[in-house]
Amino acid sequence: MTHYAHSGSRADRADWQKLSDHLLCVERLAQERGAAFGLGAAAGLAGRLHDLGKYDPAFDRVLRGEPGPVVDHSTAGGRVLLDSASGCPKPLAEALAQAILGHHAGLPDTNGADGGSVVTRIARPGAALDAQWRAHVPDDFNAVAREVLHKLRREKAGFDFSVATRMVFSCLVDADFRDTEAFYDALEGRSRDRDWPDLQSLLPAFRARFDAHMAAFDPATDLNRLRAEILTQVRAKAALPPGLFTLSVPTGGGKTLASLGFALDHAARHGHRRILYAIPFTSIIDQTVQVFADLLGAENVLEHHSAIEIEKLRPGSREVADTKDRSRDKLRQAMEDWAAPVVVTTNVQLFESLFAARPSRCRKLHNIAGAVIVLDEAQCLPRKLLLPTLAMLDTLCAHYGCTVVLCTATQPAFDSGQLQPGGLALAGRELAPDPVALAGRLRRARIVQGGAMADASLVAALAATPQGFVIVNSRKHALSLYRAAEAAGLEGLIHLTTRQYPAHRRAIIADIRTRLDPKNPKPCRLIATSLIEAGVDLDFPCGWRAEAGLDSVIQAAGRVNREGKRPLEASVLTVFSAPDNAPPGDVAQLAQAMQSVARGGCDLLDPAAIRRWFEEVYWRAGPKRLDAEGLIDKFVFNGAATNFAFRTVAERYRMIDSPMVPVIVAREDVACDLVERLSNEWEKSGPLARALQPFTVQIPHAARETLRANGKGDFEAPNLRGDAFFVLGDGGLYHDDFGLWWEQADYLSADQEVV
C-alpha cells in the first residue's frame, strides 16, 4: 500500500505527496538547519520519524476527507524511539520524542496530569502501523548521541540538554512547514519570495555605509570627539573571540551606534549569520528600527514585536496554518523564522520565544544560533526571571555560536564574581574604554534628593522653570499631574505617555525638540512616564523623577544637559517621593535599595554606587527571588533519564505579568486607509499589521473587552482577520493631549467626557 503525507486534487492521487518523500525532505531540511550548530544528525532523525503515525491505514481516511475518529499521527515516532527494542539510549529517545510529539501541538512536559504529557501519550495504545515504517529507523544512534553529548556540560547538563531539544524541535517544525508549504505551492502553481540575503554577503556594504554615516558627524564638539573615541575602541575589540561581552557607556556616549559598529565588524570577522538587536520597550523600538533602516536599508531589517499579533486568526480564515489554503506573506514568515539578516525585536519577543513551547514561536530558534545578540538596556531584564534568562544566554554562547553584548549605561551585576550562583563569565570582556573614567567624562548632571513632593509642589516647581520635565511611575499619576498643571495654566505643557500611539508620540517628541532648540527656545514643561528614559534623545535644563530603581533614575538624569552645553552645577535631576502615588510593589523595592545607597553618602552617578545598588537588588536577593518560578529546576537530567517541563515553563516564563493587547486608533488618513484595506480579501495581514503598528495603543485585555462590549470598538473584518485587528470606534475617547482614555468605557463617549 502506498501511504501519503498530504492530499492533492486528483482522484488518481498522481499529485498527492507520498509519505516517504515527505519524511525524506523534512529529514534533509531539518538536517541542513541543525548542521549549522552541530545538531544536524539529531534534527534529521527527528524529521525522518516525525510523521511515522501516518503509516496508520486510518490516516488515509483523513486525507480523503471522510468522517471518523481522530488519528494521532504525532506520537508514533516518539513511541518507536522509546521502545527499548529501538536501541536508542533512553535520555536521547526521551528528548527526541518530546520534539516529535510536539511538532503540531507544541513541546509537552515529560510528566503531567493534563493528558498531554509524554508519559500519558506514550501509555495510550498505539495503532497498528504498516511495516513500512521500519525502513526509517536507523541501525544505530551513535552519531546522534555524540552530537547531543557534545552540547552538555557536566554542571549544567539538564538545562543544556533542554536547549538542545529546543533547537532540534525548531529545526523540525521549520522543515516540516517549509516542505508542506512547498508541496502545496507546487500543486497550486504558486511561488513565494521566502529568501533573505545572507548577512555575510551584505557586510561589506553595511560597513561602508556605517563608516560613511559616522564620518558625517561634526568632530568639532568635545562630546562628538569622545563618542568617536569610544566607537574606535569598541570596534577594535571586534576581533576578540565570540561569546559574552559588556558595553558600559553612560547615556549620551553613543551606545547604539557603537554596539552596531561592533556587531558588524565582529560578524565579519567570525562569520555570524545575523544580528539581533533586542530592546526592553515597544515604545522605542520604532526609533531604533529607523536608525538601522537608514543605515543598512529598510529591506534588510525586520522589526518584530507584539504590537499586533497576526498569529491570532480564526479557523476558516485565509491564513490559518497547516491548511493548503494558507496565504502567508514574506513578512509573516520572517516573523516566525527570523531569517532576515538584521532583526530588531523586544526582550519579550526574544526571551519568551526562547522559553516557548508553541511551534509558531519556536521555529525561529535555530536562526538565533550563530547570531550577534545586542541587548540594549540590559539592566531591564526582570529580576524574577533573571537566572533562567542568564542561563539561556550562557548556553547560546557556549554551544550555539552566539555573541551576546550586554549594552547599558548602568552595567548590572551579572558577572559570576558578583552574582552567585548563575552569573556570567564577564571578566575581561568589557568593550568600552575604562567605564569608570567614561562616567566622569560624560557626567553632565547632578542628582539631588527632593524628599516628598505632592502634585501641587511639582506643578509649582515646573512653573518656576521655562523648560523642565517630571517623570512618574504610572500612567494614572502622569495624567492626574498633567491635569493639575493644566488647571494651573502652565505654558508649553506637554504630556507624553504610552496612552498615545507611536506615530502621535513621534510628533510630540519632534515638537519637544523644536521647543528645546537653544537657537529658538520656547516654554516646554513635560510630564511623562518612564518611556522617555531609554532611546529618546531629549536635552532639558532640569528635571524631577519619582523614586524608582537607580537604573531608572540615572536614565532620567541622562535627559538633563544631554549634550553637555550647560554648566554641571545648574543641571539638576531632583528625585522625589510621591506621597499620594506610591510606586508599584517591585518598583518600591528598587526605590528602597536606591535610597539605601543614597543614605550612605554616595554620589548616585558614581559607578561604585551603581555597583552597590545592583548588588543589593540582584545577588543579595538570592536565587529564590531571581528564579521565582523555579524554572531552571524544571529541566532535570540525571544521566539515565530526563524530565523536561517545557509546557509548564512556557506558561510561567512571562516577562509581563498582565499582557496588554493592541487597539488601533485610526484618526489619521494613512491609518484609516489601512483599516479599510483590512476588508479586502486579497490584502495580506502581515504588511497591514506592520503598517498599523505605529497607530496602536496597548491596553489591558479586560479594558479592551469593555470597549467592545459597550460599542466603543470592535475587531475589523473578523471573517478574514479573526481577532487580530481591534479598531477604536469612538474617536472621542482619544485626546490630543493625553491619548486614549479607556477607563470607565461603559459610559464614556464623545459627548460624555469624564476624566
Side-chain angles (χ1 to χ4, degrees):
M1 175 181 178
T2 301
H3 293 269
Y4 297 91
H6 300 105
S7 60
S9 57
R10 293 182 53 169
D12 64 359
R13 301 193 176 192
D15 62 351
W16 288 34
Q17 185 183 34
K18 293 180 181 179
L19 177 55
S20 57
D21 291 344
H22 176 60
L23 294 178
L24 287 172
C25 287
V26 174
E27 176 184 13
R28 176 179 56 80
L29 292 173
Q31 186 171 24
E32 290 173 357
R33 286 153 175 75
F37 43 83
L39 286 175
L45 179 58
R48 190 195 312 182
L49 303 181
H50 79 289
D51 271 357
L52 285 190
K54 291 184 178 180
Y55 279 114
D56 181 352
F59 188 74
D60 198 62
R61 170 184 51 77
V62 175
L63 292 178
R64 294 195 305 268
E66 298 175 358
V70 174
V71 176
D72 173 12
H73 73 270
S74 301
T75 303
R79 184 178 286 113
V80 165
L81 285 170
L82 289 166
D83 188 326
S84 59
S86 73
C88 185
K90 183 180 179 182
L92 178 61
E94 290 171 337
L96 292 175
Q98 281 187 287
I100 291 169
L101 266 63
H103 77 271
H104 284 302
L107 283 167
D109 289 352
T110 301
N111 296 287
D114 63 354
S117 69
V118 174
V119 170
T120 302
R121 288 174 61 180
I122 295 297
R124 295 173 187 150
L129 305 181
D130 190 303
Q132 294 178 53
W133 68 267
R134 299 182 184 277
H136 299 285
V137 181
D139 294 330
D140 70 69
F141 298 86
N142 292 333
V144 179
R146 284 194 297 271
E147 278 189 344
V148 174
L149 187 62
H150 188 64
K151 298 295 183 185
L152 309 186
R153 293 166 290 181
R154 182 183 300 275
E155 70 281 7
K156 302 176 181 179
F159 193 86
D160 282 352
F161 205 167
S162 75
V163 177
T165 306
R166 289 185 186 279
M167 288 295 182
V168 168
F169 179 65
S170 174
C171 295
L172 168 61
V173 296
D174 190 45
D176 186 30
F177 182 92
R178 286 296 190 102
D179 183 63
T180 302
E181 181 184 70
F183 168 73
Y184 283 116
D185 281 351
L187 187 68
E188 298 168 13
R190 271 198 308 255
S191 62
R192 300 175 191 258
D193 179 11
R194 287 294 191 235
D195 296 324
W196 290 81
D198 174 70
L199 175 64
Q200 290 297 316
S201 68
L202 294 171
L203 280 173
F206 280 0
R207 297 170 76 193
R209 293 172 69 168
F210 183 85
D211 290 341
H213 177 79
M214 300 311 302
F217 279 91
D218 180 7
T221 69
D222 290 341
L223 184 56
N224 277 349
R225 283 194 294 271
L226 179 55
R227 289 168 176 164
E229 177 185 328
I230 293 170
L231 176 63
T232 298
Q233 296 203 41
V234 169
R235 295 183 73 178
K237 296 184 179 181
L240 291 173
L244 292 155
F245 292 93
T246 56
L247 176 58
S248 309
V249 178
T251 300
K255 289 188 303 299
T256 299
L257 290 176
S259 62
L260 178 59
F262 171 83
L264 294 173
D265 292 350
H266 191 69
R269 179 65 178 261
H270 298 288
H272 288 84
R273 300 191 298 162
R274 60 189 39 83
I275 295 170
L276 299 179
Y277 205 95
I279 297 171
F281 312 113
T282 57
S283 60
I284 62 171
I285 191 172
D286 56 326
Q287 299 172 69
T288 302
V289 168
Q290 192 61 55
V291 171
F292 284 21
D294 290 344
L295 273 171
L296 308 177
E299 70 279 7
N300 299 314
V301 180
L302 171 69
E303 173 187 1
H304 185 199
H305 56 93
S306 56
I308 293 181
E309 288 289 354
I310 60 175
E311 298 175 342
K312 299 177 180 177
L313 299 167
R314 293 178 181 173
S317 77
R318 296 174 66 245
E319 296 187 20
V320 176
D322 300 318
T323 75
K324 64 181 180 181
D325 296 320
R326 66 173 64 84
S327 179
R328 296 188 176 193
D329 55 277
K330 182 178 179 180
L331 174 66
R332 176 167 181 168
Q333 170 83 13
M335 285 185 173
E336 291 190 348
D337 69 11
W338 280 7
V342 180
V343 179
V344 183
T345 188
T346 59
N347 288 349
V348 171
Q349 189 63 241
L350 172 61
F351 288 107
E352 289 192 3
S353 294
L354 284 164
F355 286 93
R358 294 203 319 265
S360 60
R361 296 201 77 172
C362 289
R363 65 180 293 202
K364 66 171 71 76
L365 302 189
H366 70 280
N367 277 332
I368 295 176
V372 179
I373 303 172
V374 179
L375 297 180
D376 193 23
E377 309 298 346
Q379 78 282 353
C380 293
L381 294 176
R383 286 196 302 167
K384 66 178 183 177
L385 298 172
L386 186 64
L387 292 184
T389 301
L390 296 184
M392 182 62 74
L393 294 176
D394 175 60
T395 303
L396 289 175
C397 290
H399 296 309
Y400 298 97
C402 289
T403 283
V404 173
V405 181
L406 302 169
C407 183
T408 176
T410 52
Q411 196 61 240
F414 292 166
D415 191 284
S416 57
Q418 298 170 281
L419 186 65
Q420 297 180 350
L424 301 175
L426 297 174
R429 302 289 281 181
E430 173 60 55
L431 296 175
D434 195 348
V436 174
L438 276 182
R441 295 176 67 184
L442 282 166
R443 180 169 302 195
R444 299 175 301 283
R446 298 185 299 118
I447 297 176
V448 301
Q449 298 294 319
M453 297 183 71
D455 284 1
S457 299
L458 291 169
V459 171
L462 273 180
T465 180
Q467 295 181 337
F469 66 80
V470 179
I471 300 174
V472 295
N473 290 316
S474 71
R475 292 191 284 198
K476 179 181 178 182
H477 187 194
L479 181 56
S480 65
L481 179 59
Y482 173 79
R483 284 304 199 194
E486 185 180 49
L490 267 62
E491 186 180 1
L493 185 63
I494 298 174
H495 187 37
L496 195 61
T497 169
T498 51
R499 289 178 180 270
Q500 297 146 340
Y501 56 85
H504 187 193
R505 289 201 303 268
R506 284 200 297 268
I508 294 172
I509 291 170
D511 179 47
I512 293 171
R513 291 195 175 112
T514 298
R515 291 174 175 273
L516 295 177
D517 185 349
K519 297 177 181 177
N520 185 26
K522 299 176 183 177
C524 185
R525 298 176 170 99
L526 172 64
I527 295 172
T529 56
S530 61
L531 69 89
I532 73 163
E533 290 178 349
V536 182
D537 299 339
L538 300 175
D539 187 359
F540 281 88
C542 60
W544 289 259
R545 179 53 165 105
E547 286 184 342
L550 182 54
D551 54 341
S552 293
V553 170
I554 291 174
Q555 291 284 3
R559 275 69 204 159
V560 176
N561 193 25
R562 182 179 179 83
E563 298 301 319
K565 296 178 180 178
R566 303 180 184 91
L568 175 64
E569 288 301 312
S571 304
V572 177
L573 177 77
T574 302
V575 177
F576 65 93
S577 62
D580 299 322
N581 291 274
D586 191 50
V587 175
Q589 295 176 9
L590 301 178
Q592 290 173 4
M594 184 268 295
Q595 288 295 357
S596 175
V597 173
R599 284 192 296 271
C602 292
D603 178 351
L604 292 179
L605 288 169
D606 190 289
I610 298 168
R611 184 167 55 253
R612 185 176 306 173
W613 180 78
F614 274 117
E615 289 173 351
E616 184 74 27
V617 300
Y618 284 130
W619 69 265
R620 289 183 183 173
K624 290 184 178 180
R625 292 181 66 181
L626 302 181
D627 183 10
E629 298 286 347
L631 301 186
I632 290 180
D633 294 336
K634 301 295 183 186
F635 302 112
V636 178
F637 172 47
N638 62 11
T642 63
N643 187 356
F644 297 157
F646 288 115
R647 189 157 299 181
T648 297
V649 169
E651 292 169 353
R652 296 181 183 179
Y653 188 98
R654 288 287 181 265
M655 285 194 157
I656 301 175
D657 291 329
S658 301
M660 308 289 271
V661 293
V663 172
I664 299 167
V665 181
R667 66 175 198 154
E668 299 184 26
D669 289 345
V670 62
C672 292
D673 175 66
L674 290 166
V675 169
E676 287 183 8
R677 289 167 57 188
L678 290 170
S679 298
N680 298 332
E681 185 177 356
W682 62 85
E683 297 271 11
K684 296 177 180 179
S685 290
L688 292 176
R690 187 176 190 183
L692 281 165
Q693 285 175 352
F695 305 99
T696 63
V697 177
Q698 301 287 322
I699 74 172
H701 183 271
R704 192 174 75 173
E705 288 301 301
T706 301
L707 288 175
R708 187 182 183 206
N710 289 279
K712 309 300 183 184
D714 208 342
F715 297 106
E716 190 73 16
N719 58 317
L720 294 176
R721 317 293 175 180
D723 58 357
F725 299 89
F726 187 96
V727 180
L728 182 69
D730 187 344
L733 296 181
Y734 194 92
H735 302 258
D736 281 335
D737 47 3
F738 59 80
L740 180 60
W741 178 255
W742 65 79
E743 291 86 345
Q744 299 173 311
D746 51 341
Y747 67 87
L748 280 179
S749 66
D751 56 354
Q752 290 178 290
E753 183 181 329
V754 180
V755 292

